[in-house]
C-alpha cells in the first residue's frame, strides 16, 4: 500500500501543488523573469556548480564512508523538482523564476550527472534517460502549471477567486501528504536519523541555502529572490538521486543518504513556509 502511494499518490500530489502554483501565475511573470537572464544564470551556476562543490568539500573534509559519500554526491548532482517549486511558492518566493530554474536544470542534469559521478565514483556507466526525465518534467511540473495558468487567464469571477484561495491552502496539505507518504514507504530510514549521513544531508541543504542567499545578495535581492535562490539551490530532487542509486547504479545501499535527505530537507522548508505565513498574517492584520 505504501509503495503504491509512493508511485501513484506522490506524483499526483506533486502535480496538484504545481497546479496550485499555476493558478497564481500569468505570462507577465515569465516575461519579467526573461528580462533578467543574469539572475537565472547565477542561480543555476550556484545549483549546478556551487552545490556539488560544497558536497565535494564535505566528503573530503569529514572523510565520509563510501556509501554516504557517493549518496551525498549523487544528491548534490540531482536537479531541483516539483517540491522545490511548491516550497518556493508557499514560502513567498518567485514561482516563475523557481519553475524556470527547475525546467532548465532538469534538462541539463541528465547529461551532467553521469559525467560528474566519476569524480567520486569511478567506472560509472550510469545514464539517465533524457526522454524519461523530460516526460516526468512535463507531467508533474509544466502541464499542471500550464493548466493552472490557462484557468487563471480565461476563468474569472468570484467563484474562481474562492476556488483559488482554497486551492492555495490545499497546496500546503499536499506538501504534508508527500512527506507522510515518503516516510511511510521508507520506515527503515528512521534508524539512521541520528547518523553521520543525516548530519551531512542537513549540512548540504543548509549550506546550499546559504549559498543561494549569498548569490541573491549580488543582485541586491529582495525577499522573493533570496528565498527562491535559497530553496532552488538547497532543495534537491531526492527522487532522482534514489533513481540513479537503485536503478542506474543497481546499488540500493547508496539510496540511504537521498532517503534521509528527502525526510530532513522538510525541516528548513517548513520553517520558511511558517515564517512566510506569519508575515502574511501580520500584514493582513
Amino acid at each position: 500500500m505504501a509503495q503504491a502511494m509512493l508511485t501513484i499518490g506522490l506524483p499526483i500530489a506533486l502535480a496538484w501543488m504545481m497546479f496550485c502554483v499555476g493558478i497564481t501565475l500569468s505570462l507577465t511573470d515569465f516575461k519579467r523573469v526573461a528580462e533578467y537572464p543574469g539572475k537565472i544564470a547565477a542561480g543555476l551556476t550556484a545549483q549546478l556548480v556551487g552545490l556539488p562543490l560544497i558536497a565535494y568539500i564535505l566528503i573530503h573534509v569529514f572523510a565520509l564512508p563510501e556509501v554516504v559519500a557517493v549518496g551525498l554526491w549523487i544528491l548534490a548532482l540531482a536537479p531541483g523538482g516539483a517540491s522545490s517549486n511548491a516550497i518556493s511558492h508557499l514560502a513567498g518566493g518567485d514561482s516563475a523564476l523557481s519553475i524556470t530554474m527547475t525546467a532548465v536544470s532538469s534538462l541539463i542534469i541528465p547529461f551532467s550527472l553521469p559525467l560528474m559521478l566519476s569524480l567520486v565514483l569511478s567506472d560509472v556507466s550510469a545514464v539517465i534517460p533524457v526522454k524519461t526525465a523530460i516526460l516526468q518534467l512535463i507531467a508533474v511540473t509544466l502541464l499542471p502549471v500550464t493548466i493552472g495558468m490557462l484557468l487563471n487567464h480565461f476563468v474569472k469571477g468570484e467563484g474562481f477567486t474562492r476556488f483559488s484561495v482554497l486551492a492555495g491552502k490545499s497546496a500546503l496539505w499536499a506538501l504534508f501528504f508527500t512527506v507522510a507518504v515518503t516516510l511511510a514507504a521508507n520506515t527503515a530510514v528512521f534508524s539512521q536519523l541520528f547518523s553521520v549521513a543525516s548530519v551531512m544531508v542537513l549540512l548540504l541543504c543548509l549550506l546550499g541555502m546559504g549559498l543561494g542567499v549569498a548569490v541573491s545578495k549580488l543582485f541586491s535581492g529582495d525577499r522573493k529572490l533570496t528565498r527562491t535562490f535559497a530553496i532552488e539551490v538547497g532543495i534537491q530532487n531526492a527522487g532522482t538521486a534514489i533513481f540513479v542509486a537503485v536503478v542506474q547504479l543497481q546499488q540500493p545501499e547508496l539510496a540511504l543518504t537521498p532517503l534521509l535527505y528527502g525526510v530532513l530537507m522538510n525541516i528548513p522548508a517548513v520553517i520558511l513556509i511558517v515564517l512566510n505565513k506569519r508575515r502574511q498574517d501580520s500584514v493582513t492584520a
Side-chain angles (χ1 to χ4, degrees), residues 111-265:
F111 302 99
S112 64
L113 193 152
L115 296 174
M116 294 181 70
L117 265 178
S118 60
L119 295 177
V120 171
L121 184 65
S122 58
D123 299 325
V124 172
S125 59
V127 177
I128 301 177
V130 176
K131 183 179 179 180
T132 299
I134 293 175
L135 288 176
Q136 288 174 341
L137 176 66
I138 291 173
V140 179
T141 302
L142 298 184
L143 184 59
V145 168
T146 301
I147 293 173
M149 288 179 63
L150 288 173
L151 287 177
N152 185 34
H153 182 75
F154 290 106
V155 181
K156 306 295 180 182
E158 186 178 341
F160 181 73
T161 300
R162 287 198 301 269
F163 169 76
S164 299
V165 172
L166 290 174
K169 292 179 179 179
S170 72
L172 182 58
W173 289 105
L175 176 62
F176 290 151
F177 172 78
T178 63
V179 176
V181 169
T182 303
L183 289 173
N186 301 286
T187 53
V189 79
F190 286 106
S191 63
Q192 300 291 330
L193 281 178
F194 301 100
S195 66
V196 64
S198 64
V199 175
M200 288 302 108
V201 296
L202 266 178
L203 267 178
L204 182 70
C205 182
L206 293 174
L207 290 174
M209 286 184 164
L211 175 61
V213 171
V215 171
S216 75
K217 298 306 178 184
L218 297 176
F219 296 91
S220 301
D222 57 10
R223 182 184 287 107
K224 270 183 171 290
L225 181 64
T226 298
R227 295 198 173 190
T228 303
F229 274 11
I231 292 166
E232 282 301 313
V233 178
I235 302 295
Q236 297 296 92
N237 191 335
T240 299
I242 293 168
F243 169 79
V244 172
V246 176
V247 178
Q248 298 297 326
L249 298 178
Q250 297 185 359
Q251 298 183 51
E253 67 276 8
L254 298 180
L256 171 63
T257 303
L259 276 174
L260 284 167
Y261 179 86
V263 175
L264 295 173
M265 73 175 190

Side-chain angles (χ1 to χ4, degrees), residues 13-187:
L14 291 174
W16 174 253
M17 285 192 287
M18 296 316 302
F19 170 77
C20 294
V21 171
I23 60 177
T24 69
L25 295 175
S26 66
L27 286 176
T28 304
D29 294 310
F30 287 93
K31 289 178 180 177
R32 176 171 48 81
V33 170
E35 294 174 0
Y36 304 100
K39 291 181 180 179
I40 297 175
L44 287 172
T45 300
Q47 180 188 16
L48 301 178
V49 179
L51 191 66
L53 181 60
I54 290 172
Y56 195 81
I57 292 172
L58 290 176
I59 289 169
H60 290 281
V61 167
F62 292 97
L64 298 179
E66 184 177 7
V67 171
V68 177
V70 176
L72 193 72
W73 185 241
I74 294 173
L75 189 58
L77 299 180
S83 295
S84 68
N85 300 151
I87 292 168
S88 182
H89 171 66
L90 294 170
D94 188 325
S95 299
L97 177 59
S98 175
I99 292 170
T100 301
M101 287 179 63
T102 294
V104 175
S105 67
S106 295
L107 293 176
I108 293 174
I109 292 297
F111 302 99
S112 64
L113 193 152
L115 296 174
M116 294 181 70
L117 265 178
S118 60
L119 295 177
V120 171
L121 184 65
S122 58
D123 299 325
V124 172
S125 59
V127 177
I128 301 177
V130 176
K131 183 179 179 180
T132 299
I134 293 175
L135 288 176
Q136 288 174 341
L137 176 66
I138 291 173
V140 179
T141 302
L142 298 184
L143 184 59
V145 168
T146 301
I147 293 173
M149 288 179 63
L150 288 173
L151 287 177
N152 185 34
H153 182 75
F154 290 106
V155 181
K156 306 295 180 182
E158 186 178 341
F160 181 73
T161 300
R162 287 198 301 269
F163 169 76
S164 299
V165 172
L166 290 174
K169 292 179 179 179
S170 72
L172 182 58
W173 289 105
L175 176 62
F176 290 151
F177 172 78
T178 63
V179 176
V181 169
T182 303
L183 289 173
N186 301 286
T187 53

